[in-house]
Amino acid sequence: MPAIKNIEGLTTAQINQELAYGAKFVMYQYTISVVLMTFKRSSDIYFVRANENCVITGLPFTIMSFVLGWWGFPWGPIYTIGSLYRNLSGGTDITQDVLLLMNGQAAKPAA
């Protein structure tokens, strides 16, 4: 599991209280291109409190994609547009997945 950012110093009770107020765990996407190669990756997990803006939290990944993502052909522009759209929509909310893993109830493979 990737590292979780922004939970330093918080107890489990404080995290649960923030989640009750609307906080969430979010991952962002970024794209980097070098001529013939394009890399689309996901960030670490970020804990975004209810009073924080998910778009602002993901701004470094959005800027990185905007500056470095376009240059690969043909996937650079395609992946960059996808990364920008995802990040400017607030990232990918993975709160339920993180809670399942934190509670030791990871999804079991179907039989």
Side-chain angles (χ1 to χ4, degrees):
M1 183 161 108
I4 300 177
K5 307 285 186 173
N6 299 338
I7 60 169
E8 297 82 16
L10 294 176
T11 65
T12 303
Q14 290 171 321
I15 292 172
N16 287 331
Q17 183 177 12
E18 287 288 337
L19 290 169
Y21 292 142
K24 52 187 162 182
F25 292 97
V26 180
M27 287 181 81
Y28 298 97
Q29 195 174 72
Y30 60 95
T31 302
I32 298 174
S33 295
V34 285
V35 186
L36 294 176
M37 295 185 297
T38 300
F39 304 96
K40 180 173 69 168
R41 302 284 187 259
S42 294
S43 70
D44 287 332
I45 300 168
Y46 282 81
F47 181 67
V48 182
R49 297 174 192 230
N51 63 346
E52 296 175 344
N53 187 320
C54 290
V55 175
I56 300 298
T57 304
L59 203 54
F61 301 103
T62 304
I63 292 169
M64 183 177 6
S65 294
F66 187 77
V67 172
L68 302 174
W70 304 101
W71 314 115
F73 183 78
W75 297 107
I78 296 167
Y79 288 166
T80 299
I81 290 168
S83 294
L84 294 175
Y85 177 78
R86 180 166 303 193
N87 294 346
L88 292 173
S89 298
T92 304
D93 184 351
I94 58 166
T95 304
Q96 294 304 317
D97 297 329
V98 171
L99 291 177
L100 286 174
L101 287 173
M102 289 175 78
N103 292 327
Q105 301 171 357
K108 296 182 174 106

